[in-house]
Amino acid sequence: MSTDYEKYFRQGTYASVRTSRFDSKSEEKVCLILNRILNDYDLEKYMQIRLTPQQALENYVEVKDEEFKGYYKNKYKWMKFDFIFEEVYEYKNRMHYVPVAVVEFDGPNHDMDEQKKLDYYKNGIVSNIGADMVRIKYSELHRLNEIELRKAYEDDIIRAIIKGYFTKSVNYRKSDALINEGNLKRFNYLEEVYKHAVEEKNGKMKYYANMLRLLYGSKELGFSSSN
């Protein structure tokens, strides 16, 4: 290694290694619950969905309008999604990362005016990318244990994933309708997968049965991107 650059290497080795990606135990608790939902419903296997914490907004959008560009840089450049579910797949020699659903943990400061502005800005970003959002309240996080918290939010999270998965963002969807000619075949495939899993009566039967219930409910309600 060139001596001219050795000092930069040494500076890198002096940096403290983070033992956690999260800023609080509360965020870790939420991530644990979301990861269990991902695994219990086999979302990665059947829907190619992954969960990623602490993703920067600028990975999904860019601000080109000069009227808002400076404001964005000063106020929101550092902002991140707490947790995001993405569909990840390879197509025509490219990797695609499609945002499906966002889960936010609202800490104790979310009632403050400035934080509300940040939250509404983030809500607009989520709407723009075609995902759906679930917000978990700080008060409930500390009032409920992990089992109770999951029970309180699980259906909303799964519905958000289903809605985002089938409507996608404006750059991906073929129709505003949740079920349309472009994705009916895929929706029917998922129904059959989870129906078969329930009939197999394996260890995850209760989760598959719940997913099947939510799939049927989503199709019946006919969600659109405007809901």
Side-chain angles (χ1 to χ4, degrees):
M1 185 184 298
S2 170
T3 55
D4 291 341
Y5 298 104
E6 284 181 354
K7 66 177 182 179
Y8 298 104
F9 177 84
R10 288 197 300 273
Q11 288 175 5
T13 63
Y14 294 154
S16 298
V17 177
R18 292 191 61 163
T19 57
S20 174
R21 182 174 294 191
F22 308 105
D23 296 327
S24 69
K25 292 291 184 180
S26 297
E27 286 186 352
E28 287 190 32
K29 182 178 178 180
V30 173
C31 189
L32 182 67
I33 292 169
L34 297 181
N35 192 61
R36 286 175 179 171
I37 290 173
L38 180 78
N39 292 331
D40 286 342
Y41 289 97
D42 276 333
L43 298 178
E44 185 172 6
K45 178 180 178 181
Y46 296 132
M47 299 170 71
Q48 296 177 280
I49 288 178
R50 72 174 187 181
L51 170 67
T52 308
Q54 302 297 315
Q55 278 289 305
L57 267 63
E58 62 182 356
N59 289 342
Y60 302 91
V61 294
E62 58 180 334
V63 179
K64 294 182 177 180
D65 192 317
E66 291 298 327
E67 182 180 353
F68 300 103
K69 206 167 187 178
Y71 189 61
Y72 171 78
K73 281 186 176 181
N74 294 332
K75 292 286 185 180
Y76 304 108
K77 183 74 172 176
W78 54 270
M79 288 182 68
K80 299 178 181 179
F81 292 125
D82 290 340
F83 307 96
I84 189 163
F85 288 96
E86 295 177 301
E87 182 189 4
V88 182
Y89 60 93
E90 181 181 345
Y91 181 66
K92 292 185 177 180
N93 295 319
R94 286 184 57 199
M95 290 303 299
H96 297 261
Y97 301 86
V98 183
V100 170
V102 173
V103 178
E104 290 289 301
F105 164 58
D106 287 352
N109 297 323
H110 277 257
D111 289 332
M112 298 176 64
D113 183 64
E114 185 60 28
Q115 185 60 50
K116 284 183 178 180
K117 293 176 183 178
L118 300 177
D119 288 344
Y120 271 90
Y121 181 83
K122 192 179 288 188
N123 291 349
I125 296 293
V126 173
S127 175
N128 190 25
I129 63 177
D132 209 17
M133 177 186 281
V134 175
R135 288 190 174 274
I136 296 179
K137 302 297 183 183
Y138 175 83
S139 57
E140 293 193 351
L141 186 69
H142 286 269
R143 180 174 60 86
L144 305 175
N145 61 37
E146 291 180 13
I147 295 175
E148 293 169 332
L149 190 68
R150 173 169 176 172
K151 185 176 180 180
Y153 284 97
E154 181 171 301
D155 276 11
D156 288 342
I157 291 168
I158 292 296
R159 285 195 188 98
I161 291 171
I162 292 171
K163 181 180 175 183
Y165 183 79
F166 284 104
T167 58
K168 299 299 194 314
S169 75
V170 292
N171 297 317
Y172 301 94
R173 62 174 173 252
K174 297 179 181 178
S175 169
D176 281 347
L178 178 68
I179 309 304
N180 58 71
E181 291 182 3
N183 62 31
L184 181 59
K185 185 176 180 181
R186 178 178 288 190
F187 194 94
N188 289 338
Y189 162 76
L190 277 183
E191 285 184 329
E192 288 302 314
V193 163
Y194 285 105
K195 182 179 178 181
H196 178 72
V198 171
E199 292 171 349
E200 287 291 309
K201 298 186 185 302
N202 57 34
K204 291 186 176 181
M205 182 179 67
K206 65 178 181 179
Y207 298 111
Y208 292 144
N210 192 44
M211 171 61 91
L212 193 59
R213 174 182 66 83
L214 292 170
L215 279 169
Y216 284 142
S218 298
K219 186 175 183 179
E220 185 177 331
L221 290 171
F223 284 131
S224 72
S225 62
S226 60
N227 286 342

